[in-house]
Amino acid sequence: MSSAVELHAPGPRGIPPLLARLADDASLFSPAGASVAQAVEDHLRARDGEYAGLLGPILCQVSRLPELITELAKAKPAEPVPMSLVCDTGLGEVPKALSIIEGRQELLSLRMVEMPGPSDVDDVWLERVSEFVPEDVVRVVEPRRGEGWLDGVRRVAEFGCWPKLRSGGQTVESFPSVDVVAEFLAVATTLDVPFKVTAGMPRAVRRTDSETGFPYHGFLNLLVAVGRALSGQDVRGALASTDEAELAAEAGSFSDEAAKAVRGVFASYGANSPTDPVSDLVELELL
């Protein structure tokens, strides 16, 4: 199975190890909700851009795969586009989708398959996932939050799958509290596989939306929090902080070894667009 190091190795433009391949392109998902044609155009432009090394795979739902292939065939990329297939039509549709991708390897390079877990992530279901998804493709499973969900996180990891943390959504209840994320990190730092994050982190630093009141987590907060978790420091303080300068200084002080250790735990997150994190990171002088 591909490792986090392989998937998120430093890019060709000298992106720091802490940020290399951090942002998976989730522009086909809400709130961005880009058309497939626009998503392909933006993704290919970003892959040729100054900050290409920040960019991970493009995420595409099973239901939109044929359209993605059509648009990529029109665009004729110079090399296969790394992608993560997101199951939105049930686990049973995965084999057919994988077969379609296998037939278009000049356009797509499958890196991950991501799926929501059932309310009870049991061994039988996880064995089915292992049967459906090839060993050289990362399997990402999102355990449903609720009572005992951290046991589901551990079970997912025991089967070699990466756990996924949902950090937001369309309702305030979709956003996990600082305490919930801290409890998740306490488990995630003990696992043999990394985790990734989906939705709800449009900015580098934590903020509350003035219109909706949604408490958005920041991907820089999470990077610093993982660093602190690995060194036995104040995780909750890092997650709750809105001090951009302090967080940027702490993240910028990580050695390459510490940065790689952080990314060995926190693999990537789904960005609203392939360029979404760039402006914040440039402003914070981290790029």
Side-chain angles (χ1 to χ4, degrees):
M1 180 179 294
S2 300
S3 68
V5 173
E6 292 168 340
L7 281 171
H8 303 100
R13 307 284 184 174
I15 301 295
L18 185 66
L19 304 175
R21 309 300 182 197
L22 175 67
D24 295 343
D25 180 0
S27 54
L28 288 176
F29 296 77
S30 62
S35 69
V36 177
Q38 188 65 54
V40 166
E41 180 181 342
D42 292 348
H43 187 85
L44 294 179
R45 184 186 301 114
R47 285 210 167 272
D48 289 333
E50 181 179 2
Y51 301 110
L54 188 65
L55 186 60
I58 187 170
L59 276 59
C60 181
Q61 304 94 325
V62 170
S63 61
R64 303 181 83 174
L65 178 61
E67 192 178 353
L68 177 68
I69 289 173
T70 297
E71 294 300 331
L72 283 173
K74 293 177 185 176
K76 298 181 174 61
E79 57 187 27
V81 173
M83 77 162 295
S84 179
L85 182 70
V86 180
C87 302
D88 64 337
T89 55
L91 195 56
E93 296 296 317
V94 171
K96 180 181 177 182
L98 295 182
S99 178
I100 292 171
I101 294 169
E102 187 175 357
R104 302 310 304 263
Q105 292 186 45
E106 79 282 6
L107 299 176
L108 290 168
S109 174
L110 182 64
R111 303 297 179 84
M112 302 181 192
V113 174
E114 306 182 36
M115 64 209 79
S119 54
D120 179 19
V121 183
D122 61 17
D123 292 359
V124 174
W125 186 84
L126 287 166
E127 285 170 0
R128 286 188 68 208
V129 171
S130 300
E131 291 171 3
F132 284 170
V133 182
E135 286 188 4
D136 61 346
V137 175
V138 173
R139 303 182 296 273
V140 182
V141 175
E142 179 189 340
R144 190 176 303 176
R145 277 204 307 274
E147 186 177 352
W149 80 288
L150 292 175
D151 292 333
V153 169
R154 294 185 184 92
R155 193 172 300 115
V156 162
E158 288 169 1
F159 273 76
C161 303
W162 294 10
K164 182 194 284 187
L165 172 67
R166 180 164 297 276
S167 63
Q170 302 303 307
T171 64
V172 71
E173 291 79 17
S174 303
F175 292 80
S177 67
V178 164
D179 283 345
V180 168
V181 178
E183 290 164 0
F184 172 82
L185 293 183
V187 171
T189 51
T190 68
L191 304 177
D192 293 329
V193 294
F195 71 89
K196 67 171 297 186
V197 179
T198 182
M201 292 203 301
R203 302 293 299 274
V205 175
R206 180 180 180 85
R207 67 184 179 90
T208 298
D209 188 277
S210 59
E211 294 185 5
T212 64
F214 290 172
Y216 287 99
H217 294 276
F219 61 83
L220 187 59
N221 295 78
L222 202 54
L223 289 167
V224 171
V226 171
R228 291 189 184 183
L230 292 171
S231 56
Q233 300 180 59
D234 179 16
V235 173
R236 285 174 172 79
L239 292 170
S241 176
T242 57
D243 189 326
E244 296 181 355
E246 183 180 271
L247 289 167
E250 187 167 345
S253 72
F254 287 171
S255 66
D256 284 357
E257 182 179 359
K260 290 174 182 175
V262 168
R263 295 299 306 285
V265 175
F266 174 21
S268 63
Y269 81 100
N272 289 345
S273 80
T275 58
D276 194 45
V278 171
S279 58
D280 277 5
L281 291 172
V282 169
E283 185 177 334
L284 294 170
E285 299 183 358
L286 291 171
L287 286 178

